[in-house]
Amino acid sequence: MKQRARFSRTAVVGGAALALVLSLSGCGGGSDAADGDTIHVLVYGDAANKVEKELVATFNKTSKVKAVLDTIPGADYQAKLQTIINSKQAPDVFFNWGGGSIKPFVDAGLLLPLDPFIDKDPDLKAKFLPSVFNSAAVDGTSYGIPMRGTQPVLLFNNGKVLKKAGVEPPQTWDDLLAAVKALKADGVTPIALGGGDRWPTLMWFEYLYDRIAGPELFQKALDGDKDAWASPDSRQALGKIRELVDAGAFGTNYDSVKFTDQGSPTLLATGRAGFELMGSWEYSTQQDAHPEFAESDLGYSAFPSVEGGKGDRANLVGNTNNFYSVLKKTKRPEAVAEFLKLMYSDQFVKAQLSIGNLPTTTNTEGLLDTAASPEFAKFQYDMVKEAPAFQLSWDQAYPQSAATAMYQALQQFFNGSMDEDAFIKAMQALPTS
Amino acid sequence: MNRTSAIAKSSKGSKGSKGSKDSEGREAVRKPGPAGIAVGRPGFLWAAPAALFFGLFAIVPLIMVAVLSFASWDGLSDPEFAGLANWKKLLDDPVMIKSLWLSVLLTALGVLVQTPLSILLGVWAAGHQRNRAVLSAIYFVPMLLSIAAVSVLWRALLDPNLGVPAQATWLFGDGNLFGMQASAIGVLVFVSTWQFTPLHTLIYQGAARAVPPVLYQAAQIDGAGRVRQFFHITLPQLRNAIITSMILMVVGGLTTFDTVLILTQGGPGSDTTISAFYMYQKAFKSFDYGSASAIALLLVLVSTLISLIVVRLSGYDKMRSTMEGL
């Protein structure tokens, strides 16, 4: 057991704001010569920062106002952003996931509506794929410009395992159930699932709700209509999930497996599982950890359709993209507008493609040959372009205050420790605004 | 005869003593020594640095948290006074009540598992066996590792398909350790035990070494075996060490956080969501700082209460010495 004094934990809460602000101001705030001559760009800190650094350097070459890139390591990003966004240390431009992730900031009146920028430069909207661009709009007003790449969720497979069991990537729900049966008979876990992380489990809910009820049902629930969760379509989707779990599609120990520590990707790569439903980053994950597998046997397809369902098979779920949003109190809106224009430049698209990201600009298509894997990039791009609807991940679409309760309910319904009615009740209890 | 009177008795005979209140032992101790310097209790000044830091980093935040627990604050706008809303919400919240129960359960399991283990190890390590020093050093290694690193390590080791359970299916079944409440709690207790037993072993080793050898010699002459010696001499002599170690376990157990964050994330469902972790979720996942503060305060109250009970029941507050009667 720990020997720490009991006060240290409570001090964390009280002192957190102070500590976070202090630690962040160390990152960049102190280096300003004159406040008005710089804009601060705050980004999620990870390997993709390479491209952001490059773009800031490009911007600074021609601009009088200089951009400064501040990064916060991934896991801490959201908590720190929330802590500083209403303080003096707030950036001018910051990274986010659109939708629910910026709604609290919009509600608090902190964000700049981007429509005036777009009026001046229509390309700031026209150069992006609409389904993606619109997912950063709150109540019809645009608050984000897409940056980085889109991340639709796809059904990945291990070609070798499927071949051995005589299974094709499923087109319909019945195909999927048949594949599960065949793979199980062949002695492998039909579908790898990192249930310990919870968000991979969420993907199954998102797609089944979409295929059965269409994208409108979730939107209704998100807009505050609690009855949506209790509707017949909702119950049907839950029934399908139960059916799949009970068929042994995920084995029995999925709640102890994680995606984030390579657990479920390794199952797929080493042939111990046939499928994995995952964001498009599965490709770069496998390329990194199991390059030979990624090269030869990693297959991918769209999520199957459900007969009689209202949702189009071309509908997607996932992270539509990441976005840059602008703080209302920025002193240099013109410079910010100029900076945002870089997000549809050829240089941006090429740089993102080279690190495996898929930007959602209209000029991406012509540059796909420069991607890390042109074939996969093209497959994804066509899907995103043709998708009638692109459902933002539920945990990002809902306000952050809902995430914990949502994850708990998802996990408990999935592993059978919560029944349909209790799940519906739990989802109805989520805060929607 | 208690300790203070023993000291009084010795000071009575000493030359420097003016002997005015010799019958009152405490007075005698405080008498100025030969050089005119006060002997015995150090002045308050000695405690000033610690008191300052404690005040700044414990008391002040505690007051801030107490204030915040009556407000609603999302970290964005200004905190708004919310009266008892947070507290009412908490008392109606099944997860909150469950989390308190889980905290207490985890603490109790920790004490029950670690205490016998570390007493045995500590008493053993206090002896003079061959290789004792080498083995003791090895046992101490887990204490040197950060709990976060240890948790990540065990999480990977316990992966059902790629870790130990896959190799020992006769023991672990399908390896779904993190998917069921009982086994998830088991893992948490196991990892804490692995990490913190060395510390408590160290406490018991020190205490066991302080047991006067004359007691064992006398027992041997009377024909008591090793087991009897352990139960009738060692264990009673370790009484104060047991209480010290248990208080550390209780306070540490109630505020356990890192293992839960890394190993189970409070899951499956909310089955391992202990209070400290629930507080973290409320504050930094849901951005509900008001409720989080109320949980924090509740945790302080419960920990204080339990610590007081332990102290009272064990008689530790009377500071009785194990040297009595010698």
Side-chain angles (χ1 to χ4, degrees), chain A residues 1-4 6-7 9-11 13-14 16 78-79 82 85-86 104-105 108 110 196 198 252-253 255-258 261 263 266-267 272 400-401 404 408 411-412 415, chain B residues 54 57 64-65 74-76 110 114 155 160-162 174 176-179 196 248-249 251-253 255-258 265-270 281 284-287 300 303:
Chain A
M1 286 290 146
K2 230 169 325 177
Q3 73 285 11
R4 237 168 256 163
R6 76 178 81 95
F7 288 116
R9 290 294 167 214
T10 55
V13 174
Q78 256 167 316
Q82 181 107 1
I85 196 158
N86 202 11
F105 306 147
L110 296 171
R198 304 177 188 205
T252 52
N253 58 22
D255 271 340
S256 302
V257 179
K258 279 185 156 192
D261 64 3
T266 307
L267 286 182
R272 278 184 271 190
Q400 280 171 6
S401 51
T404 300
Q408 276 172 13
Q411 189 173 30
Q412 287 181 302
N415 69 21
Chain B
F54 188 73
F57 293 106
M64 282 162 62
V65 164
D74 60 359
L76 286 178
Q114 288 181 49
R155 174 89 212 186
N161 303 297
L162 312 166
D174 68 351
N176 194 21
L177 290 173
F178 296 102
F196 292 111
L248 287 178
M249 284 181 193
V251 171
T255 53
T256 300
F257 171 76
D258 348 34
Q265 297 193 357
S270 59
Q281 276 186 328
F284 296 105
K285 294 288 166 191
S286 306
F287 300 110
V300 169
S303 317

Side-chain angles (χ1 to χ4, degrees), chain A residues 88-100:
Chain A
K88 274 190 177 166
Q89 280 75 20
D92 297 277
V93 181
F94 68 96
F95 165 108
N96 59 70
W97 290 263

Side-chain angles (χ1 to χ4, degrees), chain B residues 10 12-13 35 38 57 61 66 95 205 239:
Chain B
S10 68
K12 206 183 265 179
F57 293 106
V95 180
Q205 183 189 358
R239 195 183 67 222

Side-chain angles (χ1 to χ4, degrees), chain A residues 34-69:
Chain A
D35 213 28
D37 291 339
T38 57
I39 52 170
H40 280 270
V41 181
L42 185 70
V43 215
Y44 186 94
D46 62 12
N49 291 147
K50 201 177 125 191
V51 176
E52 277 107 39
K53 277 183 200 147
E54 202 181 305
L55 281 181
V56 163
T58 306
F59 177 77
N60 287 345
K61 247 182 244 164
T62 53
S63 170
K64 254 175 97 179
V65 179
K66 305 294 178 200
V68 179
L69 189 74

